[in-house]
Amino acid sequence: MLPLNVKNETSRLRAVVLGTALNNGPTPTIEEAYDPKSLEHIIAGTYPVEADMIREMDAFNAVFQKYNITVFRPEIIDNYNQIFVRDIGFVIDDIFIKANILPDRERELDAIQYVIDQIDPLKVLRPPEEVHIEGGDVILWNDYIFIGTYKGSDYKDYITARTNMQGVNYIKALFPNKIVKEFDLVKSKIEARDNALHLDCCFQPIGNDKGIIYKSGFREEADYRYLVSLFGKENLFHISREEMYNMNSNVFSIAPNVVVSEQNFTRLNDWLRSSGFTVEEIPYAEIAKQEGLLRCSTLPLIRE
């Protein structure tokens, strides 16, 4: 049995599911694009090719091996994008919650069923159908659960709105002893620079008391101010619109003092190092073209 344990984003990682870019399939058509950033690259002819994405994910896996982390990979589905495992499920404490994802992506859960089979079945939950929630919108910070959502009345019109208020309320009911706080995120179907696809696209805690944040990703300034008062402004690294677009907040922590980051995030990586972090820099700019980065490609199962 896998003894699941995830209480925050930064404790020492022991076991993780890492997505795969193998047999990723052809470049999607314009109609098949799930998000504005993929759409932008499909139209421009700059959509990432499989060989480059495999190389980037191999570099990520090499970091996990260096730190002796147990890594599970999805079973391969022919011609199918299986990079972003964060969307399909997530662990809170010792509970694995399967996400109600876009219907086209259901097969991605089947591809990690061999991992789920190693978990106590009483600890595996599937929310009711009306509950929409994806792992990228769920950020754990010990006693807090932060959840990204979209409160606009036009929720159903946005393929980029992935977590609804029913999702927030489901988590509140499941974890009555935690402080569950939702954040209303800015969404766009057409401009990736104004689309916070998930909460981890505009905020993520790092270390024990720091975080990366993009102020304009929040529809309500009060939500942004809530995080500033909780973490302290001096502990938050504020990213620009362009840095948000390049996914600077979507790094991944292996330990409180070790962060995996993209090699081009110069300003962020310098700040991390000056704040005492070890930064494991890897190339991930091709995968970033699909509006997802390092955190999106991982599903942590066990942290110390």
Side-chain angles (χ1 to χ4, degrees), residues 90-232:
F90 51 93
V91 174
I92 300 178
D93 290 351
D94 62 348
I95 301 208
F96 186 100
I97 298 165
K98 294 180 173 184
N100 285 332
I101 33 189
L102 301 167
D104 308 355
R105 299 186 59 186
E106 192 65 35
R107 287 191 294 168
E108 289 179 66
L109 261 172
D110 299 339
I112 62 162
Q113 186 60 44
Y114 82 95
V115 180
I116 297 169
D117 288 342
Q118 298 175 54
I119 300 166
D120 175 352
L122 297 174
K123 300 285 189 182
V124 179
L125 302 181
R126 185 75 189 254
E129 208 174 308
E130 68 276 7
V131 168
H132 297 179
I133 189 157
E134 289 190 351
D137 276 323
V138 180
I139 290 181
L140 308 181
W141 198 53
N142 305 317
D143 294 336
Y144 290 83
I145 303 175
F146 304 130
I147 304 180
T149 184
Y150 178 67
K151 295 182 181 176
S153 57
D154 54 352
Y155 174 93
K156 66 180 188 311
D157 300 333
Y158 279 86
I159 197 167
T160 54
R162 301 290 175 82
T163 298
N164 60 13
M165 279 307 292
Q166 284 100 314
V168 175
N169 293 330
Y170 175 79
I171 298 295
K172 280 183 176 172
L174 212 52
F175 297 96
N177 299 326
K178 300 234 184 209
I179 301 159
V180 179
K181 163 70 177 152
E182 79 274 8
F183 297 88
D184 198 8
L185 304 179
V186 171
K187 302 288 179 181
S188 172
K189 290 180 280 194
I190 50 171
E191 173 50 81
R193 285 168 181 79
D194 299 319
N195 180 47
L197 188 64
H198 290 122
L199 180 57
D200 60 15
C201 298
C202 57
F203 169 71
Q204 191 180 176
I206 45 174
N208 295 318
D209 61 352
K210 293 182 171 54
I212 303 166
I213 196 163
Y214 175 60
K215 183 181 180 182
S216 300
F218 301 92
R219 285 179 79 201
E220 299 290 336
E221 189 168 328
D223 282 352
Y224 160 76
R225 284 203 305 268
Y226 177 91
L227 290 169
V228 170
S229 62
L230 200 56
F231 282 79

Side-chain angles (χ1 to χ4, degrees), residues 276-289:
F277 291 92
T278 297
V279 183
E280 296 285 352
E281 292 191 15
I282 62 168
Y284 228 67
E286 291 303 303
I287 285 171
K289 293 176 178 179

Side-chain angles (χ1 to χ4, degrees), residues 81-92:
N81 187 330
Q82 294 176 268
I83 294 172
F84 299 125
V85 290
R86 179 72 65 155
D87 295 347
I88 62 178
F90 51 93
V91 174
I92 300 178

Side-chain angles (χ1 to χ4, degrees), residues 16-17 50 73 85 92 152 168 175 199 203 224 245 248-249 264 268 275 291:
V16 67
V17 183
E50 184 177 300
R73 308 298 292 269
V85 290
I92 300 178
V168 175
F175 297 96
L199 180 57
F203 169 71
Y224 160 76
Y245 169 74
N248 275 231
S249 61
N264 296 304
L268 171 65
S275 303
E291 204 152 354

